[in-house]
Amino acid sequence: MADSILLNPVRKNSRRTANYSSARLSRFSLEDEPSNLDEMPLMMSEEGFENDESDYQTLPRARRGQRRLGWFLLGGWEVLCKSCCDCLAHVCRRKKEMKARTVWLGRPEKSEEKFPKNGIKNQKYNVLTFVPGVLFQQFKFFLNLYFLVVSCSQLVPALKIGYLYTYWAPLGFVLAVTMVREAVDEVRRHQRDKEMNSQLYSKLTVRGKVQVKSSDIQVGDLIIVEKNQRIPADMIFLRTSEKTGACFIRTEQLDGETDWKLKVAVSCTQRLAAVGDLFSISAFVYAQKPQLDIHSFEGNFTREDVEPQIQESLSIDNTLWASAVVASGTVIGVVIYTGKETRSVLNTSHAKNKVGLLDLELNRLTKALFLAQLVLSVVMVALQGFVGPWFRNLFRFVVLFSYIIPISLRVNLDMGKSAYGWMITRDENIPGTVVRTSTIPEELGRLVYLLTDKTGTLTQNEMVFKRLHLGTVAYGNDTMDEIQSHIVQSYAQGPAQPSGGGSGNAAVARSNPPQGPKVRKSVSSRIHEAVKAVALCHNVTPVYESHGAAGETESAEADQDFSDDNRTYQAASPDEVALVRWTESVGLTLVSRDLTSLQLRTPSGQILSFLILQEEATGEITFYMKGADVAMATIVQYNDWLEEECGNMAREGLRTLVVAKKCLSEEQYQDFESRYSQAKLSLLDRTLKVAAAVESLEREMELLCLTGVEDQLQADVRPTLELLRNAGIKIWMLTGDKMETATCIAKSSHLVSRTQDVHVFKPVCSRGEAHLELNAFRRKHDCALVISGDSLEVCLRYYEHELVELACQCPAVVCCRCSPTQKAQIVRLLQQHTANRTCAIGDGGNDVSMIQAADCGIGIEGKEGKQASLAADFSVSQFRHIGRLLMVHGRNSYKRSAALGQFVMHRGMIISTMQAVFSSVFFFASVPLYQGFLMVGYATIYTMFPVFSLVLDQDVKPETALLYPELYKDLTKGRSLSFKTFLIWVLISIYQGGILMYGALVLFESEFVHVVAISFTALVLTELLMVALTVRTWHWLMVLAEFFSLGCYLASLAFLNEYFGIGRVSFGAFLDLSFITTWPFLWKVSAITLVSCLPLYIIKYLKRKFSPPSYSKLSS
């Protein structure tokens, strides 16, 4: 087993100020604000805010969007149905209020309340709800509901127009494909859930260990989790096999961070002689009610079978959250939250059925077509004079004109989406890209907001030490050897100090160089102090992998195998590991650490031992601290260089940390320790009291040095972000990392340009503070916004609309310290307030909620596992692939689907126009012009292949689309598919349908029996020519499709001539083969086709010549 040497979070203060200050301001409760206050005007002055309380009542709640006319027709009925369903669901399964709890160790039966089962369930449906659920999802769209009503009408003999298969076959095909796809997805989800729920764990009972399934674990159970095993439920850490009483866990699926986190066992249970003693004691854990926040926890551990009672405070350091993985040793924990009350489930949102914007636009157009169809039918019946059973005739006309909304629209678009997905996965320029949701590829071409994670998405999460600054002198990569020589020289002076017992501390080592009472220290002395402080002030633990069955040795023993090849460093922050690796490279190596001590090795091989929070013989204790410059600036003694140098390093994209120290007397330390211990046991305002105790030490500290660490960016992040910005996409970075780190990465990745101002939103915890800070932000122009998750939460509570409005005007936004739920909340806010399409990209389990909430979710398969990749709609291997995915494939998918959708509708409208002309000529009779077979053939074999070949069309080459990302801006305006373009296609359809039908009737008056063959031949030729007119870039498959369809039609004329008569086949009107081979037939059909298409060619040519679109200018 790995010889893990662990840290003590009490002594180490690398982040303490930043963390406590934010905790002090942010962990507010929603109850502490006056509930009777309403909104107030944002532009009120500070004086007005302080003096005029009446102004609180002057601003109404955040503005809502204007109600639109035709709400009920355009989707209001869907909203009403959904509201009713939600209401019923709420009544049937009311959410149980989550409460704080007392959990007895190993005695789940003592719990009075019923807690949720620990099973994982990601399925959308069960056996009973699958068919109704899928059908509801399909028929909630007007398009599909319309087809269902028309198909059902054909079951009524009086309304029957054609053969049943012409209506039911296409609808059945669409539903069958959808159901099979959903069923496959459901089976996969069920298998994944079953696999997770069936994982076996060891449960401790009075009779010993028993194996239990993950889904059968209850609150109060004592569960044993082995190394590299997933933690099945939220637990309090009681014991570990590690002698140090602590262990490491991996939390990449919770917070997205790849670094190991240190967890400390409850000392009372860790001290027990054997595991079985857990049942011989009477102890319980008091745990707060389940919360969303994965970074905080408050509770108490009480043992009541001894006098006096033993009571320990529990914090986040004593918790083991579900979905984390044990990285070292074996742990035993008591379960406090299960199932949907665990932190991981509370922070996970359920996947929604995503519908593309293009589908919604087409749905609106079909509603407009339905109104036109209804009006046309009423006009026909009115011209009849409403005689006879006019209502039946009205419905028959509605069915006759049902081809205005062709069912092949849904089939063609779904097949097109599948084709786009295939093209994306086959693109050699973005290898490893996977399309997991085939229904929304067009969304890639309509994005306005891109919300990205930081760690593992923009960065590699690999830190490299770059700079050390001492105030008067700075050292970079090329001068590190000077530091090394100073360290060697420093430890070469004087005799060896520490004794074999290892009773020294930081003060002992510092006194090695005989500096005496010098006021100004030499450069060598200052370097020595700085390097030693960096080597001591951290939470890094060296881990030695065991080779073979060799027994473990005590960590403090001098004969420990400290071979460099066998040692790895683990810490909660990768920049700390970078600092410790740097001190190793210059001569001071961290060789061991536990909760109370750590050991350093000097360049000469000497081992220096330091006891954490233990005074030495002289009574002197040194308090080291490091943190962000913002927090440390007010803590260290006055200096004139820190702010300037921090700014210089930040501009280079380096993450800065300020290191300081303070010498304490024994009395000062004892006073601090008593106040700190008392604060930790408090149940009320524990965080504030602990912060207050720590703050008493954080005054007038001696500034030692400033360090600069670089976080390596992913390949080509800068050019990719620049490409996206030029394309008009606004980029927001949502990260769980600290504000300073996030700001550094935003600058180094050029998310925020070097010349751009950055407004850091101050921490706020009340409405008044939020009001003043928003006013200050409103006065800034063209600056990037950096805001913390806690401040965001306060602002959204009182000023949701105002904050989103201001943030959307920023060129870039950085939200730090965001929980997974907050990330998803930000996505939903943008969707609600801007009505623009959003895209979320991440690589960790903490990004899943955000990815699922966005209109388009992209996952990166990286170090943090596959959870984000599997939950996303699209999966890529690197961030830089997004540029091509959006600029090329997004553009092509949207442009092609828009053209395909409008062309399929044109194909239906032209035949409905011909039907209207035919009926009006024949005394407004509700008789079909073409037989059922011809109608099916027209929508499939005669025209489908040429029309579908539009999915191969492209307006610009991929290289041009990447070279001129500004072209992408036009796509977001939705001009390729709008009411304007739709109206143009309607006019074209009416013109062509009228020409074809009237031309056939006029030119062939003497051969009226052949009107079907004449008009249908001209119609098919017109459609083939219209495809050629629409195509912008020819592909050999397009040419093949044109000739294949023409050949199929000519064969039909020859061999299926019985279908070309007027009315039904039983009328006996058959096509004369000799007639279609005559010159009059050929030139007249050619003339009709020419008149219907030639004007459109001329108009297109003139438009391209005098008003060319932007992409054609680039192509030429």
Side-chain angles (χ1 to χ4, degrees), residues 739-963:
M739 183 176 285
E740 296 77 19
T741 308
T743 309
C744 283
I745 295 302
K747 289 178 178 176
S748 64
S749 66
H750 295 178
L751 176 65
V752 177
S753 63
R754 297 184 186 279
T755 57
Q756 212 165 53
D757 288 333
V758 176
H759 178 81
V760 178
F761 205 91
K762 292 176 183 174
V764 296
C765 58
S766 68
R767 181 176 57 187
E769 292 175 358
H771 167 82
L772 297 175
E773 190 57 29
L774 279 170
N775 269 346
F777 176 43
R778 189 186 285 275
R779 298 186 190 104
K780 301 286 183 74
H781 297 287
D782 192 39
C783 70
L785 171 65
V786 178
I787 186 170
S788 69
D790 296 319
S791 300
L792 183 74
E793 196 173 335
V794 179
C795 291
L796 291 179
R797 185 178 173 212
Y798 299 112
Y799 299 114
E800 179 182 296
H801 181 85
E802 287 79 8
L803 177 68
V804 176
E805 187 179 27
L806 289 171
C808 288
Q809 295 170 7
C810 297
V813 176
V814 177
C815 299
C816 48
R817 285 294 181 204
C818 277
S819 67
T821 310
Q822 277 182 322
K823 291 184 177 184
Q825 185 186 9
I826 292 167
V827 172
R828 285 191 285 268
L829 281 171
L830 285 175
Q831 292 169 337
Q832 292 165 10
H833 287 269
T834 67
N836 289 319
R837 307 314 272 179
T838 58
C839 175
I841 176 166
D843 68 321
N846 64 320
D847 301 316
V848 169
S849 296
M850 170 177 74
I851 286 170
Q852 290 178 339
D855 298 300
C856 176
I858 301 176
I860 296 179
E861 193 172 314
K863 294 180 180 178
E864 298 179 22
K866 294 184 177 181
Q867 196 168 344
S869 167
L870 292 172
D873 306 305
F874 303 91
S875 171
V876 296
S877 56
Q878 294 183 50
F879 183 82
R880 62 192 176 101
H881 291 166
I882 291 182
R884 187 175 180 88
L885 189 64
L886 302 190
M887 299 303 117
V888 177
H889 293 288
R891 177 184 189 82
N892 287 342
S893 298
Y894 170 58
K895 285 273 190 179
R896 289 164 175 172
S897 281
L900 182 63
Q902 291 178 123
F903 206 96
V904 172
M905 284 193 287
H906 156 74
R907 192 173 64 183
M909 285 187 289
I910 193 173
I911 206 165
S912 297
T913 304
M914 295 174 72
Q915 176 69 56
V917 172
F918 176 78
S919 294
S920 61
V921 168
F922 284 93
F923 309 103
F924 309 104
S926 54
V927 178
L929 170 60
Y930 300 125
Q931 291 298 311
F933 175 80
L934 289 185
M935 295 304 295
V936 173
Y938 172 68
T940 54
I941 197 163
Y942 299 149
T943 60
M944 189 188 80
F945 294 111
V947 171
F948 187 69
S949 69
L950 289 173
V951 301
L952 300 170
D953 192 20
Q954 61 180 28
D955 54 351
V956 293
K957 293 181 179 178
E959 297 77 19
T960 309
L962 289 169
L963 189 61

Side-chain angles (χ1 to χ4, degrees), residues 544-562:
Y544 297 89
E545 290 297 328
S546 55
H547 300 290
E552 295 180 1
T553 57
E554 292 297 321
S555 58
E557 292 292 334
D559 60 350
Q560 170 90 35
D561 176 20
F562 293 134

Side-chain angles (χ1 to χ4, degrees), residues 279-294:
F279 290 95
S280 64
I281 66 171
S282 177
F284 63 85
V285 168
Y286 171 79
Q288 63 182 164
K289 69 178 183 179
Q291 308 264 352
L292 283 170
D293 192 356
I294 60 175

